[in-house]
Structures are given as structure tokens and as C-alpha cells.
Amino acid sequence: MASKKLIRKGEGSSLISIIGDEDTVTGFLLTGIGERNTKGETNFLIVDSTTPQKTIEETFKRFLKTPNISVILINQHIAEKELRPFINEYDGIIPTILEIPSKDVPYDPKKDTVLQKATKLLYGQESQD
Amino acid sequence: MSGGIIVTSLATKQAFQAKLKAAKKGHELLKRKCDALKARFRVIMLELLDTKKNMGQQAQEALLFVAKAAYAAGDFHQKVKDSVRRATIRLDMTSENIAGVSLPTLHLRESEDADSNLGQIGIDRGGQTIARCREKFRELLDLLVKIATLQTSFVTLDQVIRVTNRRVNALEYVVIPRFQGVVDYVSQEIEEMEREDYFRLKKVIDMKRKANLADDLARDAKKAAMIKDYEDQQKKQGQEEDGQEENILDEGEDPDIIV
């Protein structure tokens, strides 16, 4: 195995952030990924039918800019509705964006941007199944 | 290099031959790197596709548990939200080196947090359901971190392969032909110059030979002329002398020698 070394300075650790509906976020918060800093900012956003699109957009952008967030979890139906164009044009490495299903909307690999890119590269076309 | 004046000398030819060799070697090395990366890339892609599809199933199962826990514990969501302080789950990033590329790996790290209230949520009721819910989500999180690692490697490799491929193509279709072209051109010119020199030399030798030949002929001719002159002269003298001799009989007096 080649050499392993930490490539982040400082604490050498980073957070998982999440944008999702109440059930999803609660479930994940239970494991202990949530953090609230002194300014009251958190690394999670609960989205319901009243949340304005602007809030979702801005939180997403904030997560992208926060240096110690390396993963952003998003319910796929929220990604589809509000954030698809941003996700499509995002080509960064860290943080990485993972789409997860919600209680009512199962996971659809055809809508997942990164997965489609991989399928296209592997099979020369978007996934059919 | 483009548009430069090329001196057609042996030194230039050798210099560009060296450059050509280096470029070819570089091209071969880069190609090998690219192939290694592509192989790794395929592996990661397949794994990513597979794992993500499985994740969908697992996530939905976990989410059922939240509903159960909420039902059992009451005012569940608010309590969880409020109890967030510092994260006890964090990610560590290490990197592996594959064919010269640094690929990131993410690991979950759980730390103990003394003043975390999360553990206290289910104390009054529904504790077991909540505990199971937490377990399920923890498993899901492990899977998601694995996917995150695969995804970051995937994106990194994609970019690196594109760049390396571009360099390979640049060498193959631009740099190497250009060097080859210069070497060929200089070789041709040197050959041409040698041929010119050779013919010039031949011409000079020819001319010299002709000149020598002409000289010899001229000298011979002169010699012959001189000899002829001399002979003529002799003849003439001889003729005069001859004239005197013939009259011996005709002379009147022939004094006796004895008196």
C-alpha cells in the first residue's frame, strides 16, 4: 500500500452536512453528525413545504464554501426540485455531494448527476435500467 | 521553438535527435501512467455505481425507523434538533498515491463528547426504538462515507486522466512530429550540402586534370616544335656544308701537298 498521510491541516477532521426533510435530518442527527457553532450556524437544514428556495440555495452555497465540510447529503427530491442546476455545474472534489432517498421518494439513479456521469463514461450513454 | 531559425549543422541535428528521444520516452511514460489511471478509474466507477444503488434500499429502511422512533418518543424531532452542540462524528481524510495521483480516502471518526445530550433523548420513553434508529443510521452513514470516498476518487481521477490524456496527445501529434520534421529537414540539408561539395570537388579535379592535360600537350607540342626547329637548323647547316663538299672535284687547283 502506498503512503498515507493526512492532507488537511488544523484538526485534520471535517464534518458531514445535510439538507433534507425532517425525518431524514433527525435520523442522521441521532448519529452525532450535527454541529452548532458559536454563531448559531449549523451544518444541517430541515426543508419542508414552507422553506423558500432562496434559503435552500444559500445554505447549499454556504456548505460548499465552509472549509471543514467534506460531504453534503441531500434528499434527492429536494436536489431535483431546487438544486439540480447547481449540482450539475459543480465539479469540485471536496465537498462531495451525495443524493439520498427520502421516506416517500425512493432513490432514482437516473436523476443522480454524479452517477449519470459515471455511467456515461463507462457505457457511453446514460443508464437505461 | 516555433518560427525559430534553424542552423543546418550536425550539432543542430544531434541536439534535435536528443530532444526527439526525450519526447518519445516522456510520451511512453505518460501513456503508461494514463493506462494505469484508467484501469483504476474503471474499478472505482463500477464500485460506485453498484454501492450507490444498494444504498437506496438501505436508506429507505433506515428512514422507516425514524417514523417508529418519533411515534414512540414523542416530540422527537424537536428534541434532537435542539440537542445539537458539537459533532461527535467527524471525517478524517487520508490520501493514497496511485500512479502519481493523490486519491483521498474518508474515514468516520467517533469521539466522545461529554456534554452531548443526544444520549439522553430516549430516557423517558422510547429509548430502545431510538437506539435502534440510531444504529440503523450509523450503518447507513458508514455506507455513505464509503460512497463519498469512491465519489471523490472518481472525480479526481476523471480530471487527472483528462489532463494526462491531453499531454499524451500533445506529445504524440504535435511535439514529436515537429522534432522529427526538424531532424529530417536538417539531415536532408546536410546531405544536399555534402552532395554539392562532392560534385564541386569532382568538377575541380576534372578541371585540374584537363588543365594538366592541356599543359602536357602544350609542352609536348613545344618540345616537338623545338626539336623540329633544331633539326631544321641542322639540316640547313648541313646543306650549306654539303654544298661546300661537293665541289671538291670541280675545284681548279688541287695543290700537291708534297713540294
Side-chain angles (χ1 to χ4, degrees):
Chain A
M1 275 275 257
S3 65
K4 288 182 173 210
K5 52 181 164 58
L6 283 168
I7 67 178
R8 281 262 180 106
K9 308 248 172 77
E11 293 182 317
S13 60
S14 49
L15 298 170
I16 304 171
S17 60
I18 173 162
I19 300 176
D21 58 26
E22 193 169 39
D23 284 348
T24 317
V25 174
T26 309
F28 276 107
L29 284 180
L30 262 185
T31 63
I33 66 169
E35 171 140 321
R36 179 177 280 123
N37 67 8
T38 47
K39 280 188 264 178
E41 284 171 357
T42 59
N43 62 342
F44 59 92
L45 174 68
I46 297 184
V47 171
D48 57 30
S49 44
T50 65
T51 322
Q53 201 253 358
K54 201 147 172 286
T55 318
I56 303 177
E57 229 180 89
E58 282 175 3
T59 317
F60 179 66
K61 290 197 179 138
R62 177 163 62 86
F63 286 169
L64 282 180
K65 275 203 286 224
T66 313
N68 68 343
I69 289 182
S70 26
V71 174
I72 305 180
L73 300 171
I74 311 186
N75 274 135
Q76 198 168 38
H77 71 274
I78 300 177
E80 191 63 23
K81 200 164 99 177
E82 326 273 8
L83 294 171
R84 189 49 74 203
F86 299 102
I87 299 178
N88 279 346
E89 71 169 40
Y90 175 69
D91 62 354
I93 299 176
I94 297 282
T96 190
I97 303 175
L98 295 182
E99 294 178 37
I100 52 183
S102 63
K103 196 172 69 204
D104 312 310
V105 183
Y107 176 67
D108 185 359
K110 276 189 246 155
K111 301 221 183 81
D112 187 332
T113 310
V114 179
L115 216 65
Q116 284 312 322
K117 229 188 278 182
T119 321
K120 221 186 282 190
L121 286 174
L122 199 59
Y123 301 116
Q125 56 182 79
E126 305 203 338
S127 83
Q128 305 284 324
D129 59 61
Chain B
M1 220 203 87
S2 51
I5 309 280
I6 302 171
V7 174
T8 52
S9 69
L10 192 62
T12 326
K13 178 177 168 186
Q14 285 173 337
F16 273 91
Q17 266 172 337
K19 285 194 203 190
L20 182 67
K21 191 162 168 213
K24 281 193 175 156
K25 186 108 195 270
H27 173 256
E28 192 191 312
L29 287 172
L30 266 183
K31 200 134 201 239
R32 226 181 291 164
K33 171 173 175 177
C34 205
D35 289 340
L37 289 177
K38 277 192 199 153
R40 183 60 185 243
F41 186 59
R42 250 195 95 89
V43 169
I44 291 186
M45 252 201 302
L46 284 169
E47 215 185 321
L48 181 66
L49 283 169
D50 218 23
T51 321
K52 260 208 156 162
K53 292 203 179 133
N54 291 340
M55 180 273 293
Q57 181 74 2
Q58 208 168 319
Q60 295 238 267
E61 285 173 17
L63 283 166
L64 287 174
F65 274 84
V66 181
K68 278 196 209 152
Y71 178 69
D75 202 20
F76 178 53
H77 299 287
Q78 193 59 39
K79 283 218 196 94
V80 172
K81 216 167 45 157
D82 288 339
S83 71
V84 168
R85 300 272 177 275
R86 314 230 65 205
T88 50
I89 297 260
R90 285 174 157 261
L91 288 174
D92 280 334
M93 182 146 55
T94 55
S95 49
E96 261 179 83
N97 192 306
I98 303 284
V101 182
S102 189
L103 290 182
T105 320
L106 297 166
H107 313 277
L108 266 183
R109 180 161 56 116
E110 183 154 22
S111 52
E112 286 304 310
D113 198 3
D115 54 29
S116 164
N117 303 343
L118 274 178
Q120 307 182 353
I121 291 186
I123 276 189
D124 42 355
R125 51 191 174 125
Q128 233 188 20
T129 329
I130 294 179
R132 287 239 47 219
C133 183
R134 180 183 296 142
E135 254 174 57
K136 275 280 162 184
F137 267 87
R138 179 53 200 271
E139 280 169 18
L140 182 63
L141 204 61
D142 286 334
L143 185 62
L144 283 173
V145 167
K146 188 163 165 229
I147 295 179
T149 308
L150 287 172
Q151 216 167 278
T152 47
S153 302
F154 169 76
V155 177
T156 314
L157 272 180
D158 188 33
Q159 287 181 354
V160 173
I161 287 178
R162 260 183 244 260
V163 170
T164 314
N165 218 18
R166 229 177 283 147
R167 288 168 68 194
V168 168
N169 286 341
L171 280 177
E172 195 173 320
Y173 295 112
V174 177
V175 175
I176 289 181
R178 205 183 282 170
F179 284 164
Q180 188 68 56
V182 172
V183 169
D184 289 342
Y185 168 72
V186 175
S187 297
Q188 270 178 2
E189 287 296 306
I190 290 180
E191 250 183 61
E192 191 68 37
M193 276 172 20
E194 281 178 0
R195 253 182 269 149
E196 279 177 19
D197 281 348
Y198 177 64
F199 278 120
R200 214 174 283 141
L201 201 66
K202 269 195 91 181
K203 205 77 200 278
V204 167
I205 290 178
D206 251 359
M207 276 170 49
K208 266 222 143 135
R209 194 160 24 98
K210 284 202 189 116
N212 282 347
L213 207 60
D215 272 349
D216 281 345
L217 284 176
R219 220 175 330 124
D220 284 345
K222 216 172 159 194
K223 210 165 155 193
M226 269 175 56
I227 292 180
K228 192 148 184 303
D229 269 348
Y230 182 65
E231 279 179 357
D232 280 348
Q233 236 182 28
Q234 291 295 73
K235 260 204 190 133
K236 241 185 166 170
Q237 271 185 359
Q239 266 181 1
E240 287 175 9
E241 285 182 5
D242 270 356
Q244 285 182 348
E245 281 177 2
E246 269 172 28
N247 284 337
I248 281 181
L249 290 177
D250 285 30
E251 261 193 334
E253 298 222 324
D254 193 16
D256 292 336
I257 298 170
I258 304 172
V259 172

